[in-house]
Amino acid sequence: YHKLATSPRSLVATKIDVVPPSSSNGKTVYLKTTDGQCTLTAPSASGNSVTKIGKLTGGNGSTSTPTVFIDIDEIMVIG
């Protein structure tokens, strides 16, 4: 279990699989298939669920836990 936020539409430091540069700010952040992590790449394998976590706001090229504006939405399950 990984708690991302205490309330929707908040800014939360979130573990991302890569260190995003500031040029990635504004990109969509997805729940990764690895527990407790997020990614800037939507899962694409059959059987994966695509869950949008929110938008990257704190990418700076030096931290793997930048802030994300949380706005969770399950988009689809890939069949």
Side-chain angles (χ1 to χ4, degrees):
Y1 174 73
H2 182 71
K3 188 175 181 178
L4 286 176
T6 55
S7 62
R9 301 198 178 276
S10 58
L11 290 174
V12 176
T14 304
K15 176 69 175 161
I16 296 188
D17 60 348
V18 297
V19 176
S22 59
S23 60
S24 293
N25 287 332
K27 289 188 177 181
T28 300
V29 176
Y30 300 92
L31 185 63
K32 191 172 177 169
T33 56
T34 304
D35 289 342
Q37 290 190 20
C38 294
T39 181
L40 297 177
T41 305
S44 59
S46 179
N48 285 156
S49 178
V50 179
T51 305
K52 182 183 85 169
I53 299 300
K55 296 287 186 181
L56 180 68
T57 60
N60 61 13
S62 65
T63 181
S64 63
T65 55
T67 54
V68 172
F69 178 77
I70 302 296
D71 187 17
I72 299 172
D73 183 26
E74 182 171 55
I75 298 170
M76 71 173 107
V77 175
I78 301 169

Short mmCIF file of all heavy atoms in Angstrom, two decimals:
data_model
loop_
_atom_site.label_atom_id
_atom_site.label_comp_id
_atom_site.label_asym_id
_atom_site.label_seq_id
_atom_site.Cartn_x
_atom_site.Cartn_y
_atom_site.Cartn_z
N TYR A 1 0.85 -1.18 0.00
CA TYR A 1 0.00 0.00 0.00
C TYR A 1 0.88 1.23 0.00
O TYR A 1 1.80 1.35 0.81
CB TYR A 1 -0.91 -0.04 1.22
CG TYR A 1 -1.73 1.20 1.39
CD1 TYR A 1 -2.81 1.45 0.53
CD2 TYR A 1 -1.46 2.11 2.38
CE1 TYR A 1 -3.57 2.59 0.69
CE2 TYR A 1 -2.22 3.24 2.55
CZ TYR A 1 -3.28 3.47 1.69
OH TYR A 1 -4.05 4.59 1.84
N HIS A 2 0.63 2.15 -0.91
CA HIS A 2 1.41 3.39 -1.00
C HIS A 2 0.44 4.56 -1.02
O HIS A 2 -0.32 4.71 -1.96
CB HIS A 2 2.27 3.38 -2.26
CG HIS A 2 3.14 4.58 -2.40
ND1 HIS A 2 4.23 4.80 -1.60
CD2 HIS A 2 3.07 5.63 -3.24
CE1 HIS A 2 4.80 5.92 -1.97
NE2 HIS A 2 4.12 6.46 -2.95
N LYS A 3 0.46 5.36 0.01
CA LYS A 3 -0.44 6.50 0.09
C LYS A 3 0.13 7.66 -0.72
O LYS A 3 1.22 8.13 -0.46
CB LYS A 3 -0.62 6.92 1.55
CG LYS A 3 -1.67 7.96 1.74
CD LYS A 3 -1.88 8.22 3.21
CE LYS A 3 -2.95 9.24 3.42
NZ LYS A 3 -3.21 9.49 4.84
N LEU A 4 -0.62 8.10 -1.74
CA LEU A 4 -0.16 9.18 -2.60
C LEU A 4 -0.56 10.55 -2.08
O LEU A 4 0.18 11.50 -2.22
CB LEU A 4 -0.71 9.01 -4.02
CG LEU A 4 -0.07 7.93 -4.86
CD1 LEU A 4 -0.79 7.83 -6.19
CD2 LEU A 4 1.39 8.20 -5.08
N ALA A 5 -1.75 10.66 -1.53
CA ALA A 5 -2.24 11.98 -1.12
C ALA A 5 -3.31 11.83 -0.07
O ALA A 5 -3.97 10.81 0.03
CB ALA A 5 -2.80 12.72 -2.32
N THR A 6 -3.49 12.87 0.71
CA THR A 6 -4.54 12.87 1.70
C THR A 6 -5.84 13.40 1.12
O THR A 6 -6.90 13.14 1.63
CB THR A 6 -4.15 13.72 2.92
OG1 THR A 6 -3.81 15.03 2.47
CG2 THR A 6 -2.98 13.10 3.64
N SER A 7 -5.76 14.15 0.03
CA SER A 7 -6.97 14.65 -0.62
C SER A 7 -6.67 14.87 -2.10
O SER A 7 -5.53 15.12 -2.48
CB SER A 7 -7.43 15.96 0.02
OG SER A 7 -6.44 16.95 -0.14
N PRO A 8 -7.70 14.73 -2.94
CA PRO A 8 -7.48 14.96 -4.37
C PRO A 8 -7.13 16.42 -4.63
O PRO A 8 -7.40 17.30 -3.82
CB PRO A 8 -8.82 14.58 -5.00
CG PRO A 8 -9.80 14.63 -3.91
CD PRO A 8 -9.06 14.41 -2.63
N ARG A 9 -6.54 16.66 -5.77
CA ARG A 9 -6.16 18.01 -6.21
C ARG A 9 -5.21 18.69 -5.22
O ARG A 9 -5.37 19.83 -4.86
CB ARG A 9 -7.39 18.85 -6.47
CG ARG A 9 -8.28 18.24 -7.53
CD ARG A 9 -9.24 19.25 -8.08
NE ARG A 9 -10.06 18.69 -9.13
CZ ARG A 9 -9.71 18.59 -10.41
NH1 ARG A 9 -8.54 18.98 -10.80
NH2 ARG A 9 -10.53 18.07 -11.29
N SER A 10 -4.21 17.93 -4.82
CA SER A 10 -3.18 18.48 -3.94
C SER A 10 -1.81 18.21 -4.56
O SER A 10 -1.67 17.39 -5.45
CB SER A 10 -3.28 17.86 -2.54
OG SER A 10 -3.16 16.45 -2.61
N LEU A 11 -0.78 18.91 -4.09
CA LEU A 11 0.59 18.69 -4.54
C LEU A 11 1.26 17.72 -3.58
O LEU A 11 1.27 17.95 -2.37
CB LEU A 11 1.37 20.01 -4.57
CG LEU A 11 0.96 21.00 -5.65
CD1 LEU A 11 1.71 22.32 -5.46
CD2 LEU A 11 1.22 20.44 -7.03
N VAL A 12 1.83 16.65 -4.13
CA VAL A 12 2.44 15.62 -3.30
C VAL A 12 3.77 15.18 -3.92
O VAL A 12 3.84 14.96 -5.13
CB VAL A 12 1.49 14.39 -3.19
CG1 VAL A 12 2.13 13.26 -2.43
CG2 VAL A 12 0.18 14.78 -2.54
N ALA A 13 4.80 15.03 -3.08
CA ALA A 13 6.06 14.45 -3.54
C ALA A 13 5.80 12.99 -3.86
O ALA A 13 5.29 12.24 -3.03
CB ALA A 13 7.13 14.59 -2.47
N THR A 14 6.13 12.57 -5.08
CA THR A 14 5.77 11.24 -5.57
C THR A 14 6.99 10.56 -6.17
O THR A 14 7.74 11.16 -6.92
CB THR A 14 4.66 11.37 -6.64
OG1 THR A 14 3.56 12.08 -6.07
CG2 THR A 14 4.18 10.03 -7.11
N LYS A 15 7.19 9.28 -5.84
CA LYS A 15 8.32 8.50 -6.37
C LYS A 15 8.08 8.21 -7.85
O LYS A 15 7.09 7.61 -8.23
CB LYS A 15 8.46 7.19 -5.60
CG LYS A 15 9.53 6.27 -6.11
CD LYS A 15 10.90 6.81 -5.86
CE LYS A 15 11.94 5.78 -6.29
NZ LYS A 15 13.23 6.35 -6.50
N ILE A 16 9.01 8.67 -8.70
CA ILE A 16 8.93 8.46 -10.15
C ILE A 16 10.12 7.62 -10.58
O ILE A 16 11.21 7.74 -10.01
CB ILE A 16 8.87 9.81 -10.90
CG1 ILE A 16 7.57 10.53 -10.52
CG2 ILE A 16 8.97 9.62 -12.40
CD1 ILE A 16 7.27 11.77 -11.30
N ASP A 17 9.93 6.77 -11.59
CA ASP A 17 10.95 5.82 -12.00
C ASP A 17 12.21 6.44 -12.60
O ASP A 17 13.23 5.78 -12.70
CB ASP A 17 10.37 4.78 -12.96
CG ASP A 17 9.80 5.38 -14.24
OD1 ASP A 17 9.64 6.61 -14.32
OD2 ASP A 17 9.50 4.60 -15.17
N VAL A 18 12.16 7.68 -13.01
CA VAL A 18 13.33 8.39 -13.54
C VAL A 18 13.39 9.78 -12.90
O VAL A 18 12.40 10.23 -12.33
CB VAL A 18 13.27 8.56 -15.08
CG1 VAL A 18 13.29 7.22 -15.77
CG2 VAL A 18 12.06 9.35 -15.50
N VAL A 19 14.51 10.43 -13.00
CA VAL A 19 14.63 11.80 -12.50
C VAL A 19 14.18 12.74 -13.62
O VAL A 19 14.89 12.91 -14.60
CB VAL A 19 16.08 12.10 -12.06
CG1 VAL A 19 16.22 13.55 -11.64
CG2 VAL A 19 16.51 11.17 -10.94
N PRO A 20 12.98 13.32 -13.50
CA PRO A 20 12.47 14.14 -14.60
C PRO A 20 13.07 15.55 -14.62
O PRO A 20 13.20 16.19 -13.57
CB PRO A 20 10.97 14.19 -14.34
CG PRO A 20 10.83 14.01 -12.87
CD PRO A 20 11.98 13.14 -12.45
N PRO A 21 13.42 16.04 -15.81
CA PRO A 21 13.92 17.41 -15.93
C PRO A 21 12.77 18.41 -15.85
O PRO A 21 11.59 18.03 -15.98
CB PRO A 21 14.56 17.43 -17.32
CG PRO A 21 13.77 16.41 -18.09
CD PRO A 21 13.41 15.35 -17.10
N SER A 22 13.08 19.67 -15.70
CA SER A 22 12.03 20.69 -15.62
C SER A 22 11.22 20.76 -16.92
O SER A 22 10.05 21.13 -16.89
CB SER A 22 12.63 22.06 -15.30
OG SER A 22 13.57 22.44 -16.28
N SER A 23 11.82 20.35 -18.04
CA SER A 23 11.08 20.36 -19.31
C SER A 23 9.94 19.33 -19.33
O SER A 23 9.07 19.39 -20.19
CB SER A 23 12.03 20.10 -20.48
OG SER A 23 12.66 18.84 -20.34
N SER A 24 9.92 18.41 -18.35
CA SER A 24 8.83 17.42 -18.26
C SER A 24 7.65 17.93 -17.43
O SER A 24 6.62 17.26 -17.37
CB SER A 24 9.35 16.12 -17.64
OG SER A 24 10.26 15.49 -18.52
N ASN A 25 7.81 19.08 -16.76
CA ASN A 25 6.70 19.62 -15.98
C ASN A 25 5.49 19.83 -16.87
O ASN A 25 5.60 20.29 -18.00
CB ASN A 25 7.10 20.93 -15.30
CG ASN A 25 8.05 20.69 -14.14
OD1 ASN A 25 8.03 19.65 -13.51
ND2 ASN A 25 8.91 21.65 -13.87
N GLY A 26 4.32 19.43 -16.37
CA GLY A 26 3.09 19.51 -17.13
C GLY A 26 2.70 18.20 -17.79
O GLY A 26 1.57 18.03 -18.22
N LYS A 27 3.65 17.25 -17.85
CA LYS A 27 3.34 15.94 -18.44
C LYS A 27 2.49 15.12 -17.49
O LYS A 27 2.55 15.27 -16.27
CB LYS A 27 4.62 15.18 -18.79
CG LYS A 27 5.37 15.79 -19.96
CD LYS A 27 6.50 14.91 -20.39
CE LYS A 27 7.18 15.51 -21.62
NZ LYS A 27 8.28 14.67 -22.09
N THR A 28 1.72 14.21 -18.06
CA THR A 28 0.88 13.31 -17.27
C THR A 28 1.74 12.28 -16.56
O THR A 28 2.67 11.73 -17.14
CB THR A 28 -0.15 12.61 -18.17
OG1 THR A 28 -0.97 13.62 -18.79
CG2 THR A 28 -1.05 11.67 -17.38
N VAL A 29 1.41 12.00 -15.30
CA VAL A 29 2.08 10.99 -14.50
C VAL A 29 1.11 9.82 -14.33
O VAL A 29 -0.06 10.01 -14.01
CB VAL A 29 2.49 11.55 -13.12
CG1 VAL A 29 3.11 10.47 -12.25
CG2 VAL A 29 3.43 12.74 -13.29
N TYR A 30 1.61 8.60 -14.58
CA TYR A 30 0.80 7.39 -14.50
C TYR A 30 1.28 6.50 -13.37
O TYR A 30 2.46 6.52 -13.01
CB TYR A 30 0.90 6.59 -15.81
CG TYR A 30 0.44 7.34 -17.01
CD1 TYR A 30 1.33 8.07 -17.78
CD2 TYR A 30 -0.90 7.34 -17.38
CE1 TYR A 30 0.90 8.79 -18.89
CE2 TYR A 30 -1.34 8.05 -18.49
CZ TYR A 30 -0.42 8.77 -19.24
OH TYR A 30 -0.85 9.47 -20.33
N LEU A 31 0.38 5.67 -12.85
CA LEU A 31 0.76 4.66 -11.88
C LEU A 31 1.53 3.58 -12.62
O LEU A 31 1.08 3.09 -13.67
CB LEU A 31 -0.49 4.07 -11.22
CG LEU A 31 -0.25 3.08 -10.09
CD1 LEU A 31 0.46 3.77 -8.93
CD2 LEU A 31 -1.59 2.53 -9.61
N LYS A 32 2.70 3.24 -12.12
CA LYS A 32 3.53 2.23 -12.76
C LYS A 32 3.12 0.85 -12.28
O LYS A 32 2.54 0.69 -11.22
CB LYS A 32 5.01 2.50 -12.41
CG LYS A 32 5.98 1.68 -13.21
CD LYS A 32 7.40 2.12 -12.97
CE LYS A 32 8.31 1.19 -13.76
NZ LYS A 32 9.66 1.67 -13.80
N THR A 33 3.41 -0.16 -13.07
CA THR A 33 3.06 -1.53 -12.68
C THR A 33 3.94 -2.02 -11.54
O THR A 33 3.64 -3.03 -10.92
CB THR A 33 3.16 -2.48 -13.89
OG1 THR A 33 4.47 -2.41 -14.45
CG2 THR A 33 2.13 -2.11 -14.95
N THR A 34 5.03 -1.31 -11.22
CA THR A 34 5.88 -1.61 -10.06
C THR A 34 5.29 -0.91 -8.84
O THR A 34 5.02 0.28 -8.89
CB THR A 34 7.32 -1.10 -10.31
OG1 THR A 34 7.82 -1.66 -11.51
CG2 THR A 34 8.23 -1.45 -9.16
N ASP A 35 5.09 -1.67 -7.77
CA ASP A 35 4.48 -1.11 -6.56
C ASP A 35 5.19 0.13 -6.06
O ASP A 35 6.41 0.18 -5.99
CB ASP A 35 4.47 -2.15 -5.44
CG ASP A 35 3.49 -3.27 -5.69
OD1 ASP A 35 2.60 -3.09 -6.53
OD2 ASP A 35 3.63 -4.32 -5.04
N GLY A 36 4.39 1.14 -5.72
CA GLY A 36 4.91 2.33 -5.07
C GLY A 36 5.61 3.32 -5.97
O GLY A 36 6.25 4.23 -5.48
N GLN A 37 5.50 3.16 -7.29
CA GLN A 37 6.17 4.08 -8.19
C GLN A 37 5.22 4.63 -9.23
O GLN A 37 4.18 4.04 -9.52
CB GLN A 37 7.33 3.39 -8.92
CG GLN A 37 8.49 3.08 -8.03
CD GLN A 37 9.70 2.62 -8.84
OE1 GLN A 37 9.80 2.87 -10.04
NE2 GLN A 37 10.62 1.96 -8.18
N CYS A 38 5.61 5.75 -9.79
CA CYS A 38 4.87 6.35 -10.89
C CYS A 38 5.82 6.49 -12.07
O CYS A 38 7.02 6.30 -11.94
CB CYS A 38 4.34 7.72 -10.48
SG CYS A 38 3.09 7.63 -9.18
N THR A 39 5.27 6.83 -13.24
CA THR A 39 6.07 6.95 -14.45
C THR A 39 5.45 7.99 -15.37
O THR A 39 4.26 8.30 -15.26
CB THR A 39 6.17 5.58 -15.16
OG1 THR A 39 6.97 5.70 -16.34
CG2 THR A 39 4.79 5.04 -15.53
N LEU A 40 6.26 8.51 -16.28
CA LEU A 40 5.75 9.45 -17.28
C LEU A 40 5.31 8.72 -18.54
O LEU A 40 4.81 9.33 -19.47
CB LEU A 40 6.82 10.49 -17.62
CG LEU A 40 7.26 11.39 -16.47
CD1 LEU A 40 8.39 12.32 -16.91
CD2 LEU A 40 6.09 12.19 -15.93
N THR A 41 5.47 7.38 -18.55
CA THR A 41 5.09 6.55 -19.69
C THR A 41 3.89 5.69 -19.31
O THR A 41 3.96 4.92 -18.35
CB THR A 41 6.26 5.65 -20.11
OG1 THR A 41 7.41 6.45 -20.35
CG2 THR A 41 5.92 4.85 -21.35
N ALA A 42 2.81 5.79 -20.06
CA ALA A 42 1.62 4.99 -19.77
C ALA A 42 1.91 3.51 -19.97
O ALA A 42 2.57 3.14 -20.95
CB ALA A 42 0.47 5.41 -20.67
N PRO A 43 1.46 2.63 -19.06
CA PRO A 43 1.61 1.20 -19.26
C PRO A 43 0.93 0.79 -20.57
O PRO A 43 -0.10 1.35 -20.94
CB PRO A 43 0.89 0.58 -18.05
CG PRO A 43 0.89 1.67 -17.03
CD PRO A 43 0.79 2.94 -17.80
N SER A 44 1.51 -0.19 -21.27
CA SER A 44 0.94 -0.57 -22.56
C SER A 44 0.80 -2.08 -22.77
O SER A 44 0.32 -2.51 -23.81
CB SER A 44 1.78 0.02 -23.70
OG SER A 44 3.11 -0.45 -23.61
N ALA A 45 1.21 -2.87 -21.78
CA ALA A 45 1.13 -4.32 -21.93
C ALA A 45 -0.29 -4.82 -21.69
O ALA A 45 -1.05 -4.24 -20.91
CB ALA A 45 2.09 -5.00 -20.96
N SER A 46 -0.65 -5.90 -22.36
CA SER A 46 -1.96 -6.51 -22.20
C SER A 46 -2.21 -6.87 -20.73
O SER A 46 -1.33 -7.39 -20.05
CB SER A 46 -2.05 -7.78 -23.05
OG SER A 46 -3.30 -8.39 -22.90
N GLY A 47 -3.39 -6.53 -20.24
CA GLY A 47 -3.76 -6.81 -18.86
C GLY A 47 -3.42 -5.70 -17.88
O GLY A 47 -3.85 -5.73 -16.74
N ASN A 48 -2.63 -4.71 -18.31
CA ASN A 48 -2.28 -3.60 -17.43
C ASN A 48 -3.43 -2.60 -17.35
O ASN A 48 -4.15 -2.39 -18.32
CB ASN A 48 -1.06 -2.85 -17.92
CG ASN A 48 0.25 -3.57 -17.67
OD1 ASN A 48 1.22 -3.33 -18.36
ND2 ASN A 48 0.31 -4.45 -16.70
N SER A 49 -3.57 -1.99 -16.20
CA SER A 49 -4.52 -0.91 -16.00
C SER A 49 -3.78 0.41 -16.19
O SER A 49 -2.67 0.57 -15.69
CB SER A 49 -5.09 -0.99 -14.60
OG SER A 49 -5.97 0.07 -14.35
N VAL A 50 -4.36 1.33 -16.94
CA VAL A 50 -3.75 2.65 -17.14
C VAL A 50 -4.45 3.62 -16.20
O VAL A 50 -5.63 3.92 -16.37
CB VAL A 50 -3.88 3.12 -18.61
CG1 VAL A 50 -3.27 4.50 -18.78
CG2 VAL A 50 -3.23 2.11 -19.55
N THR A 51 -3.71 4.08 -15.20
CA THR A 51 -4.25 4.98 -14.20
C THR A 51 -3.45 6.28 -14.19
O THR A 51 -2.26 6.28 -13.92
CB THR A 51 -4.22 4.35 -12.80
OG1 THR A 51 -4.90 3.10 -12.84
CG2 THR A 51 -4.86 5.25 -11.77
N LYS A 52 -4.13 7.36 -14.52
CA LYS A 52 -3.50 8.68 -14.48
C LYS A 52 -3.48 9.17 -13.05
O LYS A 52 -4.51 9.20 -12.38
CB LYS A 52 -4.27 9.66 -15.36
CG LYS A 52 -3.65 11.05 -15.41
CD LYS A 52 -4.49 12.00 -16.22
CE LYS A 52 -5.55 12.56 -15.31
NZ LYS A 52 -6.30 13.70 -15.84
N ILE A 53 -2.30 9.55 -12.56
CA ILE A 53 -2.15 10.05 -11.20
C ILE A 53 -2.33 11.55 -11.15
O ILE A 53 -2.91 12.10 -10.24
CB ILE A 53 -0.78 9.66 -10.62
CG1 ILE A 53 -0.64 8.13 -10.57
CG2 ILE A 53 -0.55 10.27 -9.25
CD1 ILE A 53 -1.68 7.45 -9.72
N GLY A 54 -1.81 12.26 -12.16
CA GLY A 54 -1.92 13.71 -12.19
C GLY A 54 -0.90 14.30 -13.14
O GLY A 54 -0.47 13.66 -14.10
N LYS A 55 -0.45 15.52 -12.85
CA LYS A 55 0.50 16.24 -13.69
C LYS A 55 1.77 16.54 -12.90
O LYS A 55 1.71 16.99 -11.75
CB LYS A 55 -0.09 17.57 -14.18
CG LYS A 55 -1.29 17.41 -15.09
CD LYS A 55 -0.89 16.93 -16.45
CE LYS A 55 -2.10 16.92 -17.38
NZ LYS A 55 -1.79 16.43 -18.70
N LEU A 56 2.91 16.33 -13.54
CA LEU A 56 4.20 16.63 -12.94
C LEU A 56 4.35 18.15 -12.79
O LEU A 56 4.10 18.90 -13.73
CB LEU A 56 5.33 16.09 -13.82
CG LEU A 56 6.74 16.33 -13.31
CD1 LEU A 56 6.99 15.53 -12.03
CD2 LEU A 56 7.75 15.95 -14.38
N THR A 57 4.73 18.58 -11.60
CA THR A 57 4.94 20.02 -11.37
C THR A 57 6.32 20.32 -10.82
O THR A 57 6.76 21.46 -10.90
CB THR A 57 3.90 20.59 -10.39
OG1 THR A 57 4.01 19.88 -9.14
CG2 THR A 57 2.49 20.46 -10.92
N GLY A 58 7.01 19.34 -10.25
CA GLY A 58 8.26 19.61 -9.57
C GLY A 58 9.50 18.99 -10.18
O GLY A 58 10.50 18.82 -9.49
N GLY A 59 9.43 18.64 -11.46
CA GLY A 59 10.62 18.09 -12.11
C GLY A 59 11.71 19.14 -12.17
O GLY A 59 11.46 20.28 -12.54
N ASN A 60 12.95 18.74 -11.74
CA ASN A 60 14.05 19.70 -11.76
C ASN A 60 15.38 19.07 -12.19
O ASN A 60 16.41 19.70 -12.12
CB ASN A 60 14.20 20.37 -10.39
CG ASN A 60 14.50 19.38 -9.29
OD1 ASN A 60 14.84 18.23 -9.55
ND2 ASN A 60 14.37 19.82 -8.05
N GLY A 61 15.32 17.79 -12.58
CA GLY A 61 16.53 17.11 -13.02
C GLY A 61 17.41 16.57 -11.91
O GLY A 61 18.45 15.98 -12.18
N SER A 62 16.99 16.74 -10.64
CA SER A 62 17.85 16.27 -9.55
C SER A 62 17.13 15.42 -8.51
O SER A 62 17.79 14.87 -7.64
CB SER A 62 18.52 17.46 -8.86
OG SER A 62 17.57 18.27 -8.23
N THR A 63 15.82 15.30 -8.56
CA THR A 63 15.11 14.49 -7.57
C THR A 63 14.19 13.47 -8.25
O THR A 63 13.56 13.78 -9.25
CB THR A 63 14.29 15.36 -6.59
OG1 THR A 63 13.65 14.49 -5.64
CG2 THR A 63 13.23 16.19 -7.28
N SER A 64 14.14 12.25 -7.68
CA SER A 64 13.23 11.23 -8.18
C SER A 64 11.90 11.24 -7.42
O SER A 64 11.06 10.37 -7.61
CB SER A 64 13.87 9.84 -8.10
OG SER A 64 14.13 9.51 -6.75
N THR A 65 11.74 12.25 -6.53
CA THR A 65 10.47 12.40 -5.82
C THR A 65 9.94 13.83 -6.00
O THR A 65 9.73 14.56 -5.03
CB THR A 65 10.61 12.07 -4.31
OG1 THR A 65 11.65 12.88 -3.77
CG2 THR A 65 10.91 10.61 -4.07
N PRO A 66 9.69 14.22 -7.25
CA PRO A 66 9.18 15.57 -7.51
C PRO A 66 7.71 15.68 -7.12
O PRO A 66 7.03 14.67 -6.93
CB PRO A 66 9.34 15.71 -9.03
CG PRO A 66 9.17 14.32 -9.52
CD PRO A 66 9.82 13.45 -8.49
N THR A 67 7.23 16.90 -7.01
CA THR A 67 5.81 17.08 -6.70
C THR A 67 4.96 16.82 -7.94
O THR A 67 5.36 17.05 -9.07
CB THR A 67 5.52 18.50 -6.18
OG1 THR A 67 6.01 19.45 -7.12
CG2 THR A 67 6.12 18.73 -4.83
N VAL A 68 3.78 16.29 -7.66
CA VAL A 68 2.79 15.98 -8.69
C VAL A 68 1.47 16.57 -8.22
O VAL A 68 1.10 16.43 -7.05
CB VAL A 68 2.66 14.45 -8.89
CG1 VAL A 68 1.50 14.10 -9.80
CG2 VAL A 68 3.97 13.87 -9.43
N PHE A 69 0.76 17.24 -9.13
CA PHE A 69 -0.59 17.71 -8.85
C PHE A 69 -1.50 16.50 -9.01
O PHE A 69 -1.66 15.98 -10.11
CB PHE A 69 -0.99 18.83 -9.82
CG PHE A 69 -2.39 19.32 -9.61
CD1 PHE A 69 -2.70 20.16 -8.55
CD2 PHE A 69 -3.42 18.92 -10.46
CE1 PHE A 69 -3.99 20.61 -8.35
CE2 PHE A 69 -4.71 19.37 -10.26
CZ PHE A 69 -5.00 20.21 -9.21
N ILE A 70 -2.05 16.01 -7.91
CA ILE A 70 -2.83 14.77 -7.90
C ILE A 70 -4.23 15.00 -8.45
O ILE A 70 -4.97 15.87 -7.99
CB ILE A 70 -2.92 14.19 -6.46
CG1 ILE A 70 -1.52 13.94 -5.89
CG2 ILE A 70 -3.78 12.93 -6.44
CD1 ILE A 70 -0.70 12.91 -6.63
N ASP A 71 -4.56 14.20 -9.47
CA ASP A 71 -5.89 14.20 -10.09
C ASP A 71 -6.10 12.81 -10.69
O ASP A 71 -5.91 12.59 -11.88
CB ASP A 71 -5.99 15.28 -11.16
CG ASP A 71 -7.40 15.44 -11.71
OD1 ASP A 71 -8.36 14.97 -11.06
OD2 ASP A 71 -7.54 16.03 -12.79
N ILE A 72 -6.42 11.84 -9.84
CA ILE A 72 -6.44 10.42 -10.21
C ILE A 72 -7.64 10.09 -11.10
O ILE A 72 -8.75 10.51 -10.84
CB ILE A 72 -6.44 9.54 -8.95
CG1 ILE A 72 -5.16 9.81 -8.15
CG2 ILE A 72 -6.56 8.07 -9.30
CD1 ILE A 72 -5.11 9.16 -6.79
N ASP A 73 -7.35 9.28 -12.15
CA ASP A 73 -8.38 8.87 -13.09
C ASP A 73 -7.94 7.57 -13.76
O ASP A 73 -6.87 7.53 -14.38
CB ASP A 73 -8.60 9.96 -14.15
CG ASP A 73 -9.71 9.64 -15.12
OD1 ASP A 73 -10.64 8.89 -14.76
OD2 ASP A 73 -9.66 10.15 -16.26
N GLU A 74 -8.74 6.50 -13.64
CA GLU A 74 -8.43 5.27 -14.36
C GLU A 74 -8.91 5.44 -15.79
O GLU A 74 -10.09 5.72 -16.03
CB GLU A 74 -9.05 4.03 -13.73
CG GLU A 74 -8.67 2.78 -14.49
CD GLU A 74 -9.08 1.49 -13.81
OE1 GLU A 74 -10.28 1.36 -13.51
OE2 GLU A 74 -8.22 0.66 -13.59
N ILE A 75 -8.01 5.29 -16.73
CA ILE A 75 -8.35 5.52 -18.13
C ILE A 75 -8.88 4.26 -18.79
O ILE A 75 -9.91 4.27 -19.44
CB ILE A 75 -7.12 6.06 -18.89
CG1 ILE A 75 -6.69 7.41 -18.28
CG2 ILE A 75 -7.40 6.21 -20.38
CD1 ILE A 75 -5.39 7.93 -18.77
N MET A 76 -8.17 3.11 -18.62
CA MET A 76 -8.61 1.87 -19.24
C MET A 76 -7.80 0.70 -18.72
O MET A 76 -6.76 0.87 -18.11
CB MET A 76 -8.44 1.94 -20.75
CG MET A 76 -6.97 1.90 -21.19
SD MET A 76 -6.77 1.79 -22.95
CE MET A 76 -6.20 3.43 -23.28
N VAL A 77 -8.31 -0.49 -18.98
CA VAL A 77 -7.56 -1.72 -18.78
C VAL A 77 -7.24 -2.24 -20.17
O VAL A 77 -8.15 -2.38 -21.01
CB VAL A 77 -8.36 -2.76 -17.97
CG1 VAL A 77 -7.59 -4.06 -17.89
CG2 VAL A 77 -8.67 -2.22 -16.59
N ILE A 78 -5.96 -2.48 -20.44
CA ILE A 78 -5.54 -2.92 -21.76
C ILE A 78 -5.85 -4.41 -21.91
O ILE A 78 -5.45 -5.21 -21.08
CB ILE A 78 -4.03 -2.65 -21.97
CG1 ILE A 78 -3.78 -1.14 -21.81
CG2 ILE A 78 -3.58 -3.15 -23.33
CD1 ILE A 78 -2.34 -0.77 -21.74
N GLY A 79 -6.56 -4.75 -22.93
CA GLY A 79 -7.00 -6.13 -23.11
C GLY A 79 -6.25 -6.78 -24.16
O GLY A 79 -5.96 -7.68 -24.62
#
